[in-house]
mmCIF file of all heavy atoms in Angstrom:
data_model
loop_
_atom_site.group_PDB
_atom_site.id
_atom_site.type_symbol
_atom_site.label_atom_id
_atom_site.label_comp_id
_atom_site.label_asym_id
_atom_site.label_seq_id
_atom_site.Cartn_x
_atom_site.Cartn_y
_atom_site.Cartn_z
ATOM 1 N N MET A 1 -35.553 55.935 118.944
ATOM 2 C CA MET A 1 -36.106 56.765 119.966
ATOM 3 C C MET A 1 -35.493 56.733 121.332
ATOM 4 O O MET A 1 -35.370 57.685 122.156
ATOM 5 C CB MET A 1 -37.675 56.654 120.061
ATOM 6 C CG MET A 1 -38.438 57.050 118.844
ATOM 7 S SD MET A 1 -38.160 58.831 118.406
ATOM 8 C CE MET A 1 -38.750 59.631 119.889
ATOM 9 N N GLN A 2 -35.004 55.526 121.693
ATOM 10 C CA GLN A 2 -34.327 55.453 123.051
ATOM 11 C C GLN A 2 -33.082 56.337 123.110
ATOM 12 O O GLN A 2 -32.870 56.982 124.128
ATOM 13 C CB GLN A 2 -33.975 53.914 123.217
ATOM 14 C CG GLN A 2 -33.735 53.636 124.695
ATOM 15 C CD GLN A 2 -33.887 52.291 125.127
ATOM 16 O OE1 GLN A 2 -34.465 51.502 124.383
ATOM 17 N NE2 GLN A 2 -33.234 51.856 126.270
ATOM 18 N N GLU A 3 -32.296 56.378 122.066
ATOM 19 C CA GLU A 3 -31.118 57.274 122.040
ATOM 20 C C GLU A 3 -31.595 58.757 122.058
ATOM 21 O O GLU A 3 -30.841 59.660 122.659
ATOM 22 C CB GLU A 3 -30.191 56.805 121.045
ATOM 23 C CG GLU A 3 -29.482 55.562 121.261
ATOM 24 C CD GLU A 3 -28.338 55.468 120.135
ATOM 25 O OE1 GLU A 3 -28.092 56.279 119.396
ATOM 26 O OE2 GLU A 3 -27.812 54.321 120.156
ATOM 27 N N ILE A 4 -32.607 59.005 121.278
ATOM 28 C CA ILE A 4 -33.041 60.445 121.277
ATOM 29 C C ILE A 4 -33.492 60.888 122.656
ATOM 30 O O ILE A 4 -33.168 61.863 123.056
ATOM 31 C CB ILE A 4 -34.131 60.548 120.208
ATOM 32 C CG1 ILE A 4 -33.579 60.327 118.645
ATOM 33 C CG2 ILE A 4 -34.856 61.923 120.291
ATOM 34 C CD1 ILE A 4 -34.632 60.305 117.658
ATOM 35 N N LEU A 5 -34.350 59.994 123.241
ATOM 36 C CA LEU A 5 -34.820 60.371 124.615
ATOM 37 C C LEU A 5 -33.734 60.572 125.533
ATOM 38 O O LEU A 5 -33.753 61.302 126.548
ATOM 39 C CB LEU A 5 -35.857 59.340 125.015
ATOM 40 C CG LEU A 5 -36.638 59.604 126.262
ATOM 41 C CD1 LEU A 5 -37.487 60.995 126.093
ATOM 42 C CD2 LEU A 5 -37.654 58.610 126.555
ATOM 43 N N ALA A 6 -32.672 59.668 125.420
ATOM 44 C CA ALA A 6 -31.558 59.787 126.453
ATOM 45 C C ALA A 6 -30.854 60.992 126.382
ATOM 46 O O ALA A 6 -30.305 61.342 127.439
ATOM 47 C CB ALA A 6 -30.606 58.570 126.046
ATOM 48 N N LYS A 7 -30.890 61.734 125.250
ATOM 49 C CA LYS A 7 -30.344 63.075 125.137
ATOM 50 C C LYS A 7 -30.823 63.989 126.164
ATOM 51 O O LYS A 7 -30.230 65.067 126.562
ATOM 52 C CB LYS A 7 -30.526 63.711 123.710
ATOM 53 C CG LYS A 7 -29.882 62.927 122.604
ATOM 54 C CD LYS A 7 -30.103 63.473 121.227
ATOM 55 C CE LYS A 7 -29.616 62.603 120.094
ATOM 56 N NZ LYS A 7 -28.171 62.750 119.910
ATOM 57 N N ALA A 8 -32.126 63.822 126.687
ATOM 58 C CA ALA A 8 -32.778 64.774 127.566
ATOM 59 C C ALA A 8 -32.753 64.116 129.017
ATOM 60 O O ALA A 8 -33.549 64.656 129.928
ATOM 61 C CB ALA A 8 -34.198 65.034 127.152
ATOM 62 N N ALA A 9 -31.978 63.185 129.235
ATOM 63 C CA ALA A 9 -31.992 62.476 130.483
ATOM 64 C C ALA A 9 -31.680 63.506 131.604
ATOM 65 O O ALA A 9 -30.778 64.390 131.593
ATOM 66 C CB ALA A 9 -30.883 61.464 130.532
ATOM 67 N N GLY A 10 -32.530 63.519 132.696
ATOM 68 C CA GLY A 10 -32.313 64.375 133.818
ATOM 69 C C GLY A 10 -32.821 65.855 133.656
ATOM 70 O O GLY A 10 -32.767 66.610 134.580
ATOM 71 N N LEU A 11 -33.394 66.185 132.388
ATOM 72 C CA LEU A 11 -33.865 67.421 132.172
ATOM 73 C C LEU A 11 -35.390 67.447 131.938
ATOM 74 O O LEU A 11 -35.807 66.518 131.099
ATOM 75 C CB LEU A 11 -33.118 67.881 130.817
ATOM 76 C CG LEU A 11 -33.461 69.334 130.337
ATOM 77 C CD1 LEU A 11 -33.001 70.383 131.470
ATOM 78 C CD2 LEU A 11 -32.618 69.697 129.050
ATOM 79 N N HIS A 12 -36.082 68.241 132.632
ATOM 80 C CA HIS A 12 -37.541 68.171 132.642
ATOM 81 C C HIS A 12 -38.119 69.488 132.541
ATOM 82 O O HIS A 12 -37.641 70.482 133.044
ATOM 83 C CB HIS A 12 -37.976 67.596 134.024
ATOM 84 C CG HIS A 12 -37.482 66.156 134.255
ATOM 85 N ND1 HIS A 12 -38.132 65.120 133.835
ATOM 86 C CD2 HIS A 12 -36.440 65.773 134.917
ATOM 87 C CE1 HIS A 12 -37.408 63.986 134.157
ATOM 88 N NE2 HIS A 12 -36.318 64.390 134.858
ATOM 89 N N VAL A 13 -39.136 69.575 131.691
ATOM 90 C CA VAL A 13 -39.853 70.812 131.352
ATOM 91 C C VAL A 13 -41.324 70.800 131.505
ATOM 92 O O VAL A 13 -41.957 69.804 130.951
ATOM 93 C CB VAL A 13 -39.580 71.316 129.963
ATOM 94 C CG1 VAL A 13 -40.368 72.577 129.583
ATOM 95 C CG2 VAL A 13 -38.075 71.529 129.655
ATOM 96 N N VAL A 14 -41.970 71.648 132.401
ATOM 97 C CA VAL A 14 -43.327 71.892 132.345
ATOM 98 C C VAL A 14 -43.660 73.146 131.694
ATOM 99 O O VAL A 14 -43.408 74.322 132.129
ATOM 100 C CB VAL A 14 -43.809 71.949 133.841
ATOM 101 C CG1 VAL A 14 -45.386 72.081 133.871
ATOM 102 C CG2 VAL A 14 -43.463 70.751 134.639
ATOM 103 N N PRO A 15 -44.063 73.105 130.379
ATOM 104 C CA PRO A 15 -44.059 74.196 129.439
ATOM 105 C C PRO A 15 -45.326 75.079 129.710
ATOM 106 O O PRO A 15 -45.914 75.608 128.634
ATOM 107 C CB PRO A 15 -43.928 73.561 128.075
ATOM 108 C CG PRO A 15 -44.695 72.347 128.200
ATOM 109 C CD PRO A 15 -44.456 71.804 129.595
ATOM 110 N N GLU A 16 -45.704 75.492 130.780
ATOM 111 C CA GLU A 16 -46.888 76.206 131.071
ATOM 112 C C GLU A 16 -46.653 77.705 131.252
ATOM 113 O O GLU A 16 -46.954 78.266 132.318
ATOM 114 C CB GLU A 16 -47.674 75.592 132.292
ATOM 115 C CG GLU A 16 -48.112 74.064 131.941
ATOM 116 C CD GLU A 16 -48.866 73.405 133.067
ATOM 117 O OE1 GLU A 16 -48.844 73.885 134.086
ATOM 118 O OE2 GLU A 16 -49.349 72.367 132.656
ATOM 119 N N PHE A 17 -46.104 78.379 130.175
ATOM 120 C CA PHE A 17 -45.744 79.752 130.311
ATOM 121 C C PHE A 17 -46.972 80.616 130.469
ATOM 122 O O PHE A 17 -46.885 81.695 130.934
ATOM 123 C CB PHE A 17 -44.972 80.150 129.004
ATOM 124 C CG PHE A 17 -43.680 79.507 128.974
ATOM 125 C CD1 PHE A 17 -43.398 78.321 128.387
ATOM 126 C CD2 PHE A 17 -42.433 80.074 129.659
ATOM 127 C CE1 PHE A 17 -42.162 77.782 128.239
ATOM 128 C CE2 PHE A 17 -41.203 79.562 129.587
ATOM 129 C CZ PHE A 17 -41.002 78.313 128.904
ATOM 130 N N LEU A 18 -48.122 80.105 129.953
ATOM 131 C CA LEU A 18 -49.368 80.876 129.964
ATOM 132 C C LEU A 18 -50.335 80.167 130.888
ATOM 133 O O LEU A 18 -51.622 80.299 130.686
ATOM 134 C CB LEU A 18 -49.923 81.194 128.635
ATOM 135 C CG LEU A 18 -49.369 82.389 127.905
ATOM 136 C CD1 LEU A 18 -49.942 82.447 126.590
ATOM 137 C CD2 LEU A 18 -49.514 83.684 128.695
ATOM 138 N N GLY A 19 -50.024 79.376 131.878
ATOM 139 C CA GLY A 19 -50.832 78.712 132.732
ATOM 140 C C GLY A 19 -51.282 77.355 132.122
ATOM 141 O O GLY A 19 -50.768 76.965 131.100
ATOM 142 N N ASN A 20 -52.165 76.752 132.705
ATOM 143 C CA ASN A 20 -52.728 75.463 132.418
ATOM 144 C C ASN A 20 -54.149 75.554 132.024
ATOM 145 O O ASN A 20 -55.014 75.881 132.887
ATOM 146 C CB ASN A 20 -52.516 74.386 133.551
ATOM 147 C CG ASN A 20 -52.978 73.033 133.130
ATOM 148 O OD1 ASN A 20 -54.215 72.862 133.099
ATOM 149 N ND2 ASN A 20 -52.106 72.061 132.809
ATOM 150 N N ARG A 21 -54.474 75.372 130.773
ATOM 151 C CA ARG A 21 -55.843 75.493 130.285
ATOM 152 C C ARG A 21 -56.617 74.383 130.636
ATOM 153 O O ARG A 21 -57.775 74.424 131.159
ATOM 154 C CB ARG A 21 -55.873 75.785 128.770
ATOM 155 C CG ARG A 21 -57.274 75.898 128.278
ATOM 156 C CD ARG A 21 -57.310 75.815 126.764
ATOM 157 N NE ARG A 21 -56.752 76.942 126.051
ATOM 158 C CZ ARG A 21 -56.458 76.993 124.734
ATOM 159 N NH1 ARG A 21 -56.715 76.069 123.958
ATOM 160 N NH2 ARG A 21 -56.015 78.113 124.281
ATOM 161 N N ALA A 22 -56.019 73.143 130.575
ATOM 162 C CA ALA A 22 -56.661 71.853 130.925
ATOM 163 C C ALA A 22 -55.674 70.826 131.245
ATOM 164 O O ALA A 22 -54.465 70.878 130.713
ATOM 165 C CB ALA A 22 -57.502 71.294 129.697
ATOM 166 N N PRO A 23 -55.959 70.001 132.293
ATOM 167 C CA PRO A 23 -57.237 69.709 132.996
ATOM 168 C C PRO A 23 -57.341 70.524 134.274
ATOM 169 O O PRO A 23 -58.285 70.355 135.040
ATOM 170 C CB PRO A 23 -57.215 68.265 133.234
ATOM 171 C CG PRO A 23 -55.825 68.054 133.526
ATOM 172 C CD PRO A 23 -54.978 68.834 132.531
ATOM 173 N N PHE A 24 -56.500 71.526 134.520
ATOM 174 C CA PHE A 24 -56.586 72.182 135.867
ATOM 175 C C PHE A 24 -57.176 73.552 135.832
ATOM 176 O O PHE A 24 -57.477 74.132 136.798
ATOM 177 C CB PHE A 24 -55.127 72.289 136.484
ATOM 178 C CG PHE A 24 -54.431 71.000 136.743
ATOM 179 C CD1 PHE A 24 -53.445 70.454 136.028
ATOM 180 C CD2 PHE A 24 -54.918 70.148 137.652
ATOM 181 C CE1 PHE A 24 -52.812 69.282 136.248
ATOM 182 C CE2 PHE A 24 -54.351 68.924 138.018
ATOM 183 C CZ PHE A 24 -53.326 68.436 137.262
ATOM 184 N N ALA A 25 -57.422 74.145 134.534
ATOM 185 C CA ALA A 25 -57.941 75.427 134.383
ATOM 186 C C ALA A 25 -57.422 76.521 135.320
ATOM 187 O O ALA A 25 -58.040 77.211 136.042
ATOM 188 C CB ALA A 25 -59.407 75.244 134.604
ATOM 189 N N ASP A 26 -56.148 76.489 135.360
ATOM 190 C CA ASP A 26 -55.302 77.444 136.128
ATOM 191 C C ASP A 26 -54.433 78.413 135.413
ATOM 192 O O ASP A 26 -53.306 78.052 134.909
ATOM 193 C CB ASP A 26 -54.445 76.545 136.979
ATOM 194 C CG ASP A 26 -53.665 77.423 138.116
ATOM 195 O OD1 ASP A 26 -53.792 78.677 138.162
ATOM 196 O OD2 ASP A 26 -52.948 76.772 138.984
ATOM 197 N N PRO A 27 -55.020 79.634 135.200
ATOM 198 C CA PRO A 27 -54.153 80.457 134.324
ATOM 199 C C PRO A 27 -52.994 81.177 135.097
ATOM 200 O O PRO A 27 -52.275 81.890 134.463
ATOM 201 C CB PRO A 27 -55.294 81.566 133.998
ATOM 202 C CG PRO A 27 -56.230 81.576 135.192
ATOM 203 C CD PRO A 27 -56.303 80.063 135.564
ATOM 204 N N HIS A 28 -52.903 80.814 136.456
ATOM 205 C CA HIS A 28 -51.851 81.523 137.277
ATOM 206 C C HIS A 28 -50.695 80.709 137.378
ATOM 207 O O HIS A 28 -49.542 81.293 137.592
ATOM 208 C CB HIS A 28 -52.441 81.864 138.701
ATOM 209 C CG HIS A 28 -53.664 82.636 138.698
ATOM 210 N ND1 HIS A 28 -53.736 84.002 138.416
ATOM 211 C CD2 HIS A 28 -54.957 82.179 138.877
ATOM 212 C CE1 HIS A 28 -55.062 84.392 138.573
ATOM 213 N NE2 HIS A 28 -55.783 83.314 138.821
ATOM 214 N N THR A 29 -50.702 79.498 137.137
ATOM 215 C CA THR A 29 -49.484 78.636 137.293
ATOM 216 C C THR A 29 -48.432 79.049 136.158
ATOM 217 O O THR A 29 -48.912 79.454 135.055
ATOM 218 C CB THR A 29 -49.715 77.168 137.177
ATOM 219 O OG1 THR A 29 -48.524 76.397 137.546
ATOM 220 C CG2 THR A 29 -50.219 76.725 135.867
ATOM 221 N N ARG A 30 -47.188 78.636 136.267
ATOM 222 C CA ARG A 30 -46.239 78.965 135.320
ATOM 223 C C ARG A 30 -45.239 77.886 134.939
ATOM 224 O O ARG A 30 -45.335 76.817 135.645
ATOM 225 C CB ARG A 30 -45.363 80.241 135.807
ATOM 226 C CG ARG A 30 -46.182 81.556 135.673
ATOM 227 C CD ARG A 30 -46.426 81.935 134.321
ATOM 228 N NE ARG A 30 -47.377 83.099 134.144
ATOM 229 C CZ ARG A 30 -48.692 83.113 133.974
ATOM 230 N NH1 ARG A 30 -49.366 82.044 134.074
ATOM 231 N NH2 ARG A 30 -49.252 84.324 133.798
ATOM 232 N N ALA A 31 -44.384 78.003 134.027
ATOM 233 C CA ALA A 31 -43.497 77.066 133.532
ATOM 234 C C ALA A 31 -42.349 76.592 134.566
ATOM 235 O O ALA A 31 -42.055 77.375 135.393
ATOM 236 C CB ALA A 31 -42.866 77.399 132.196
ATOM 237 N N VAL A 32 -41.865 75.435 134.424
ATOM 238 C CA VAL A 32 -40.807 74.898 135.269
ATOM 239 C C VAL A 32 -39.761 74.305 134.325
ATOM 240 O O VAL A 32 -40.076 73.493 133.443
ATOM 241 C CB VAL A 32 -41.249 73.900 136.266
ATOM 242 C CG1 VAL A 32 -40.043 73.255 137.078
ATOM 243 C CG2 VAL A 32 -42.289 74.535 137.135
ATOM 244 N N ILE A 33 -38.481 74.537 134.499
ATOM 245 C CA ILE A 33 -37.428 73.944 133.879
ATOM 246 C C ILE A 33 -36.497 73.321 135.031
ATOM 247 O O ILE A 33 -35.964 74.157 135.795
ATOM 248 C CB ILE A 33 -36.602 74.737 132.893
ATOM 249 C CG1 ILE A 33 -37.429 75.511 131.941
ATOM 250 C CG2 ILE A 33 -35.382 74.071 132.245
ATOM 251 C CD1 ILE A 33 -36.793 76.605 131.149
ATOM 252 N N ALA A 34 -36.300 72.130 135.078
ATOM 253 C CA ALA A 34 -35.497 71.408 136.100
ATOM 254 C C ALA A 34 -34.418 70.502 135.475
ATOM 255 O O ALA A 34 -34.683 69.859 134.497
ATOM 256 C CB ALA A 34 -36.430 70.520 137.017
ATOM 257 N N GLY A 35 -33.238 70.482 136.161
ATOM 258 C CA GLY A 35 -32.205 69.702 135.585
ATOM 259 C C GLY A 35 -31.080 70.516 134.803
ATOM 260 O O GLY A 35 -30.327 69.750 134.159
ATOM 261 N N LEU A 36 -31.105 71.812 134.712
ATOM 262 C CA LEU A 36 -30.123 72.565 133.953
ATOM 263 C C LEU A 36 -28.846 72.419 134.579
ATOM 264 O O LEU A 36 -28.680 72.534 135.820
ATOM 265 C CB LEU A 36 -30.534 73.989 133.898
ATOM 266 C CG LEU A 36 -31.763 74.341 132.916
ATOM 267 C CD1 LEU A 36 -32.130 75.912 133.010
ATOM 268 C CD2 LEU A 36 -31.425 73.996 131.477
ATOM 269 N N GLY A 37 -27.692 72.293 133.704
ATOM 270 C CA GLY A 37 -26.407 72.390 134.219
ATOM 271 C C GLY A 37 -25.674 73.527 133.621
ATOM 272 O O GLY A 37 -26.359 74.555 133.223
ATOM 273 N N MET A 38 -24.352 73.584 133.475
ATOM 274 C CA MET A 38 -23.579 74.537 133.043
ATOM 275 C C MET A 38 -23.269 74.567 131.554
ATOM 276 O O MET A 38 -22.870 75.491 130.905
ATOM 277 C CB MET A 38 -22.247 74.404 133.639
ATOM 278 C CG MET A 38 -22.122 74.769 135.172
ATOM 279 S SD MET A 38 -22.764 76.342 135.704
ATOM 280 C CE MET A 38 -21.285 77.288 135.181
ATOM 281 N N LYS A 39 -23.712 73.469 130.844
ATOM 282 C CA LYS A 39 -23.525 73.520 129.424
ATOM 283 C C LYS A 39 -24.431 74.547 128.626
ATOM 284 O O LYS A 39 -25.537 74.712 128.941
ATOM 285 C CB LYS A 39 -23.865 72.041 128.770
ATOM 286 C CG LYS A 39 -22.886 71.027 129.327
ATOM 287 C CD LYS A 39 -23.245 69.609 128.742
ATOM 288 C CE LYS A 39 -22.166 68.573 129.325
ATOM 289 N NZ LYS A 39 -22.629 67.204 128.795
ATOM 290 N N ASP A 40 -23.836 75.154 127.575
ATOM 291 C CA ASP A 40 -24.409 76.170 126.928
ATOM 292 C C ASP A 40 -24.331 76.193 125.427
ATOM 293 O O ASP A 40 -24.436 77.015 124.686
ATOM 294 C CB ASP A 40 -23.933 77.634 127.373
ATOM 295 C CG ASP A 40 -22.544 77.742 127.240
ATOM 296 O OD1 ASP A 40 -21.922 76.929 126.663
ATOM 297 O OD2 ASP A 40 -22.052 78.826 127.559
ATOM 298 N N ASP A 41 -24.075 74.822 124.956
ATOM 299 C CA ASP A 41 -23.756 74.661 123.517
ATOM 300 C C ASP A 41 -25.066 74.200 122.876
ATOM 301 O O ASP A 41 -26.078 73.974 123.415
ATOM 302 C CB ASP A 41 -22.691 73.633 123.313
ATOM 303 C CG ASP A 41 -22.858 72.281 123.981
ATOM 304 O OD1 ASP A 41 -24.040 72.166 124.662
ATOM 305 O OD2 ASP A 41 -22.046 71.465 123.913
ATOM 306 N N ILE A 42 -24.970 74.070 121.488
ATOM 307 C CA ILE A 42 -26.136 73.619 120.776
ATOM 308 C C ILE A 42 -26.607 72.138 121.268
ATOM 309 O O ILE A 42 -27.773 71.967 121.189
ATOM 310 C CB ILE A 42 -25.760 73.698 119.232
ATOM 311 C CG1 ILE A 42 -25.821 75.028 118.858
ATOM 312 C CG2 ILE A 42 -26.850 72.849 118.426
ATOM 313 C CD1 ILE A 42 -25.443 75.321 117.377
ATOM 314 N N LYS A 43 -25.674 71.239 121.543
ATOM 315 C CA LYS A 43 -26.098 69.996 122.032
ATOM 316 C C LYS A 43 -26.997 70.135 123.133
ATOM 317 O O LYS A 43 -28.065 69.275 123.275
ATOM 318 C CB LYS A 43 -24.898 69.181 122.359
ATOM 319 C CG LYS A 43 -25.187 67.785 122.696
ATOM 320 C CD LYS A 43 -23.952 67.089 123.010
ATOM 321 C CE LYS A 43 -24.080 65.592 123.361
ATOM 322 N NZ LYS A 43 -22.855 64.778 123.779
ATOM 323 N N SER A 44 -26.803 71.084 124.025
ATOM 324 C CA SER A 44 -27.682 71.128 125.267
ATOM 325 C C SER A 44 -28.984 71.788 124.795
ATOM 326 O O SER A 44 -30.063 71.596 125.483
ATOM 327 C CB SER A 44 -26.938 71.943 126.299
ATOM 328 O OG SER A 44 -26.742 73.257 125.943
#
């Protein structure tokens, strides 16, 4: 798992495309993707 997790180093996702049901009960918030680079291949 350490090597698997390392594949996503520096890349972070808050997958709240339809808001946060719990524990914030906030239907207005939205998703975040941080750490994207220029790579566009299957590995990325």
Side-chain angles (χ1 to χ4, degrees):
M1 291 304 299
Q2 192 156 346
E3 289 191 7
I4 292 173
L5 188 59
K7 296 176 187 286
L11 186 58
H12 302 273
V13 175
V14 181
E16 297 180 346
F17 292 95
L18 279 178
N20 180 282
R21 182 190 288 170
F24 298 110
D26 184 354
H28 303 290
T29 191
R30 287 296 178 261
V32 178
I33 306 170
L36 288 176
M38 294 293 288
K39 294 181 178 180
D40 59 2
D41 56 6
I42 286 178
K43 184 177 179 180
S44 64

